[in-house]
Each structure stands twice: as structure tokens, then as C-alpha cells.
Amino acid sequence: MTYERPWYRWYVLFILTLIYAFSYVDRQIVTILAPYLKKDMGISDAQLGLLYGTSFALFYCVFGIPLARLADGWSRVRTLALGLSFWSLMTALSGLARSFSQLGVARIGVGVGEASATPAAVSLLGDYFERSRRGTVLALYSVGVYVGAGASLIVGGSILSTWEHAYGKGHGVAPFGLVGWQATFIGVGLPGLLFALIVLLTIKEPVRGRLDAVAAKKDPHPFGSAMRSLGAMVPPWSWMHLKALGASRREYVRNWTYLLFAVLLVIFATWGTNHVLSASRKAEIGSVFGLSITSNLVQWIAIAVAVYVCSNWFQATRLGDASAHRLITGSRPFVAVTVAGAFLAFAMNAVNGFVFVYASRTLGLTAQAGLHLGIIAIIAGGAGIAVSGYLCDYAKRKHPFGRLYFVCFTASVFTGASVIQYLTHSITVFYCAYAVATLFVPMWFGPLQATTQDLVIPRLRGTAFAAFSLGPNIFGLGLGPYCVGLISDATGDLRLAILCGIAVLPVSIFSLLVASRSLLKGEEAARAELAAADAGAIEEASIGLPIEQLT
């Protein structure tokens, strides 16, 4: 078959990496457009953090689990192509936004579409490359992160400069009355629609689990499984799902406790953040029934919803999918690695979300800085991810915990370089420190993703990635940029805000050390689960219900 040819799997890896880059272009484009969005829409730094992180991350997480289930049970290629088409379209529609609310809705659509991409891609790569190369392959795939992030700065800056030169003041009327940032959204969004066709026409769907001891059984109702996964997260369907699982009264009490915690989180977190900001810094989004809605209220409602729906999923998984609970939600090393990834993503997004805003505001750099930062991001970030794959696999061969220790080292170097970057007043030192930080910050992607994949069986690969992504996205992306923006608004000091954002290194290292204590036991549990599946003892479909009840 075509997918068994040696060269073809490297072609698939190349295409999947480009898709990942496309996703990061659409995700990160807000970074370079931030000064123009602030000027035209009058939004605050906290709202920028909400726009860059929370509005995207919430729906990325909520839809990540059901779309991962769809990828695990349906065609991963088709799932990928549909998601790419949808998020590209929503990015283009962002260029038609006339208000902060409209732009926020479009960003939600980008998050929903992108939620389908990496679970499907990771699952595909698991059937194209053997386990011994998993760290290297996933690291090469993750090169797309910084290719996309750098390209967003380069392409975004180029479109902005070209548009301003052609249609700036006194240079003529722009097509459809679009300003530079609107043209940029449209320019980076539309090519993704064409690329989705390339995916459908050139990538073949391999047999699931073909490189493992046993091929995974197909889900006869993949869309039903995906909808059940979504229903298990969102009330009132989540309560109906608990009833179908025969949940005890204690489980219902537990569920209502989750809801109470979410409500209290909104109340106290919103009160606390509003309390530290002066009235002039409380940016309003609008009003409902005469009640003012601040960006802080929207932020904490979004976080509370994410926490609640993910808690529902964990509960439903624990009750209805024994394999997923043992290997994912109930696995100590898996949870510890997810926590480490969450704090590493928090620091990374604290730096990346405001790097151009900081450079233009504090160091006086112009839009040309976007080109410089983009080139550095592509070269240094791409090289860092690519090299990390080989190094972490080498470290794994030398020591059972080698990948985790490798991440401890690289995260420490990134933190030190970032401190220098945001304390210096020299533009040259700023660029050099940014290059070092960018080289090391992405080195946790491949090692931690490979670690989580080693802890699960083939039919749970996409789900495992989606579950792992909850921490980096809800906490890292959802709170990182927002907290930096909030501190900046409260203190008027963006440098202090960013330094606070990267001061989480000790938590990440502690979590990785915790994971190392039970890593071997977790890998052994995955091997035992695979052996049981091979014997036909464990055959479950989607979250919550066995195949017999689905047919």
C-alpha cells in the first residue's frame, strides 16, 4: 500500500507539520495585530489576553475531547481536513469584525476548528512511525509551532506594511474599506481552504494500530461517540449521561459540587480582579439587561465553564471507560506531566503573547520588528524543537526518565534567558536573549507528548493528546496572557507582568519529578492494557458506553 512506502510517511509528516504551522499562524496572528486592535477598538491589555488566549482556549478544550473521540473512531484525514477548513474560514471572517465581541466570536470558531487538528495528526503519526522514533517524530511535527508563530509575525507584518503603504492616509481607498489588520486576517485565513483539499487528496488513512501488537477495532458509530463525549461534558446532557451510566447519588452530589465551585470561582475571581483595577481600567464589553459586563467577568466565566465541563468529562470517564480512566484520568504520571505542561505553557504564552507589544511599547521598535522576531522564531524555535526530538529520545535510551530530566534542563535555560530579555534596555541583547529563549522554550513539546503517548494504547492516542492539552490550554493559554495583561493594567508595568508570568518554573520541575516516580508503572500499565486488548478482554468504544450498547 502507498502508506507502507518509506518515503511516504515522511511526506505525511511534512504535510501534518505544515497544517500545524497553519494553525499557529491563525492562532498567533493576534500578537502582531495587537497594537492596531487596541487603536481601532480601544481594548485593554486584559482584553487582548482574553482575545489571544481565553476565547480561543475555552472552546479548543471543550471541543477537543469530542473531536479527539471522532478522530479515534472515524477517518482522521477527513477530521483534519474539515477542521482546517473551518478554522481557516473563521480566521478570514475575523477580518470582517467591527467590534470586540464580533472578533471574540470569530476567535471562538478558530478554537473549535483547531481542536480537531493535533489529536488526529498525533494518532496518524502513531501509525506511520514506530514507538522508538516517537519523540523525534512528534518533535519534528511540533516544529510547526514556531514555523507558524514566526510566519504569523513575518506574513502579518508584511501584509500590514504593504496595506498601509498602498492604502494609508492619502494613498487611496482600500478595497471594501478594509484597514490593515482586517486584510491580514483575511490574507492568512483563505489559503487554509485550499490546503484542506491537498490533505484530502494526498494523505492516506492507515490501518489504526498497525505498528502495535493489535489493530484497534473500529467504532461503528464515531459521530455518536463524539456527541456522547460532548454531552458528557455539558449539562443537562451530562446529567442524563450520568443516569445512563447508573451513577450513584454520591456521584450526582459530586457533580453539583463541581458546578458550585465554578460559580464561586466566577464570583470571587471577578470581584478580586475588578477590585485591584481602577474604574478607568475596567474595560467594558457591553451590557445585558442594563448590567455592565466587564472583560474580567467574561474571562472568569470562560475559565469556570472550562473547569466545570472538564470535571464532568473526568467524572464520566472514571465511571464509563475503565481503560481511559486507568491510563489517562486516573494515571498519576499522566496527570503530573499534564500539570507540568500547563505551567510551561503558562510561561511560554506569557512571553509570546506580548513580545511584540513589549518591543514596540518599551523599546520603541516599529512594525519592522515583527519581521525580525518572526525570523528568529522560525530559525531558533524550529531548530529547538527539531533538535529536542533526537536529544530526548537519546536521553530516554540512556535513562528511563531521560525525557523528563531533559525538559527540566531546557525549561530552566528558557526562564533564565527570558529574565535577561525583559530586564535589558539594549535592543541587541533583547534580540539575542529572545533567540536563546525561543530555542529552548519549545523543547518540552515533543518529550511530554511522547511521554503521554507511551502511557496509552492505540485507540486512546487522540483522546490522550486532547486530555493532555487541557492543562496547557485552559491554564497555560487561557490564563497566561490574561494574567499578564491584568497585571499590566493594574500596575502600568508590562515588564513586571511578563516577569511574573515566567516565574512558575519551580512548579513545572516539581511536577516532572513527581511524574518520574511513577512513570515506569504507568508504562507497564499501558503494556498490560494492550495485552488484554489483544486477547479480546477489553473492547470499549466511546466515553461511557460499551460497543454492545452502541449497536
Side-chain angles (χ1 to χ4, degrees):
M1 295 184 181
T2 301
Y3 59 73
E4 293 179 343
R5 297 174 183 174
W7 64 267
Y8 183 72
R9 61 180 181 174
W10 294 103
Y11 167 77
V12 171
L13 174 60
F14 173 72
I15 294 297
L16 295 180
T17 302
L18 283 182
I19 294 175
Y20 206 15
F22 265 87
S23 73
Y24 260 79
V25 169
D26 294 347
R27 185 185 308 189
Q28 297 278 99
I29 195 66
V30 172
T31 302
I32 195 167
L33 299 181
Y36 305 91
L37 295 174
K38 287 175 66 69
K39 177 183 177 182
D40 287 1
M41 293 187 176
I43 60 180
S44 66
D45 282 348
Q47 284 179 301
L48 272 180
L50 194 156
L51 194 63
Y52 170 80
T54 311
S55 62
F56 173 91
L58 168 63
F59 287 85
Y60 185 93
C61 293
V62 171
F63 283 87
I65 296 293
L67 288 174
R69 282 288 182 175
L70 181 63
D72 280 340
W74 189 51
S75 167
R76 291 161 288 186
V77 174
R78 293 178 182 177
T79 301
L80 195 59
L82 287 175
L84 173 57
S85 299
F86 184 73
W87 90 62
S88 298
L89 178 62
M90 296 306 294
T91 300
L93 290 177
S94 298
L96 303 180
R98 300 294 180 180
S99 67
F100 175 82
S101 299
Q102 293 176 1
L103 188 54
V105 171
R107 295 294 295 171
I108 288 172
V110 175
V112 172
E114 290 193 17
S116 66
T118 302
V122 169
S123 182
L124 279 171
L125 292 173
D127 290 326
Y128 276 109
F129 294 90
E130 58 276 8
R131 176 184 292 263
S132 62
R133 290 187 174 184
R134 192 163 287 162
T136 300
V137 169
L138 290 178
L140 290 173
Y141 168 71
S142 298
V143 168
V145 172
Y146 273 89
V147 171
S152 70
L153 293 171
I154 295 173
V155 175
S158 298
I159 295 177
L160 279 170
S161 299
T162 301
W163 200 266
E164 291 297 324
H165 178 74
Y167 304 109
K169 293 181 179 180
H171 293 285
V173 179
F176 305 105
L178 299 176
V179 295
W181 64 265
Q182 292 177 308
T184 304
F185 272 124
I186 296 173
V188 301
L190 291 180
L193 298 175
L194 177 61
F195 199 67
L197 291 177
I198 297 176
V199 172
L200 283 174
L201 295 175
T202 65
I203 295 184
K204 306 298 181 182
E205 181 80 20
V207 176
R208 199 182 303 269
R210 72 185 188 94
L211 297 179
D212 294 280
V214 59
K217 180 178 286 189
K218 292 183 179 180
D219 186 344
H221 303 289
F223 286 92
S225 299
M227 292 304 297
R228 274 188 292 275
S229 294
L230 181 60
M233 303 169 74
V234 182
W237 299 279
S238 59
W239 302 325
M240 297 165 60
H241 192 75
L242 288 178
K243 183 178 180 180
L245 293 174
S248 64
R249 180 176 298 179
R250 182 177 181 179
E251 293 296 340
Y252 282 99
V253 172
R254 189 192 302 268
N255 189 273
W256 281 97
T257 302
Y258 297 152
L259 181 59
L260 177 61
F261 173 78
V263 172
L264 292 177
L265 175 63
V266 172
I267 294 173
F268 288 106
T270 302
W271 175 85
T273 50
N274 282 340
H275 184 69
V276 299
L277 296 176
S278 64
S280 62
R281 293 181 185 269
K282 294 179 186 177
E284 291 190 8
I285 295 176
S287 63
V288 176
F289 303 118
L291 298 176
S292 174
I293 300 179
T294 67
S295 58
N296 296 320
L297 177 61
V298 174
Q299 164 71 23
W300 291 111
I301 288 177
I303 293 297
V305 169
V307 170
Y308 176 62
V309 298
C310 291
S311 298
N312 284 344
W313 179 75
F314 272 77
Q315 184 183 28
T317 300
R318 178 170 51 82
L319 296 174
D321 192 332
S323 295
H325 176 58
R326 283 191 292 267
L327 301 180
I328 300 177
T329 60
S331 168
R332 179 177 294 181
F334 193 102
V335 173
V337 168
T338 300
V339 171
F343 279 91
L344 288 170
F346 186 96
M348 182 184 73
N349 285 295
V351 172
N352 290 345
F354 287 89
V355 61
F356 180 73
V357 177
Y358 175 86
S360 60
R361 182 184 303 177
T362 305
L363 300 178
L365 301 182
T366 64
Q368 188 68 19
L371 176 63
H372 299 153
L373 293 172
I375 292 175
I376 292 173
I378 290 177
I379 296 176
I385 295 178
V387 171
S388 71
Y390 171 78
L391 292 178
C392 79
D393 279 347
Y394 177 80
K396 176 70 173 178
R397 290 194 294 270
K398 291 296 182 180
H399 194 282
F401 313 140
R403 286 175 179 156
L404 303 184
Y405 293 159
F406 175 77
V407 175
C408 290
F409 169 74
T410 58
S412 300
V413 176
F414 153 72
T415 302
S418 296
V419 170
I420 295 174
Q421 176 187 347
Y422 289 101
L423 287 180
T424 185
H425 294 283
S426 167
I427 295 177
T428 301
V429 175
F430 174 83
Y431 278 129
C432 291
Y434 176 71
V436 174
T438 304
L439 177 69
F440 282 92
V441 65
M443 288 190 178
W444 62 273
F445 292 163
L448 296 193
Q449 288 174 9
T451 299
T452 58
Q453 293 294 299
D454 286 347
L455 294 171
V456 297
I457 57 179
R459 79 166 181 88
L460 292 174
R461 282 185 184 140
T463 303
F465 180 84
F468 168 74
S469 297
L470 293 178
N473 283 292
I474 293 177
F475 184 79
L477 183 57
L479 280 178
Y482 171 77
C483 288
V484 170
L486 182 69
I487 296 172
S488 176
D489 284 341
T491 64
D493 190 341
L494 182 57
R495 174 189 284 122
L496 173 63
I498 293 175
L499 292 175
C500 289
I502 62 178
V504 296
L505 175 67
V507 181
S508 300
I509 292 180
F510 176 76
S511 297
L512 292 171
L513 295 178
V514 170
S516 68
R517 299 189 62 179
S518 53
L519 181 64
L520 296 181
K521 186 181 295 185
E523 292 177 349
E524 180 59 34
R527 286 191 290 269
E529 200 79 29
L530 186 60
D534 192 16
I538 298 178
E539 286 295 349
E540 296 168 342
S542 67
I543 182 169
L545 295 178
I547 288 178
E548 305 89 69
Q549 298 181 26
L550 291 173
T551 55

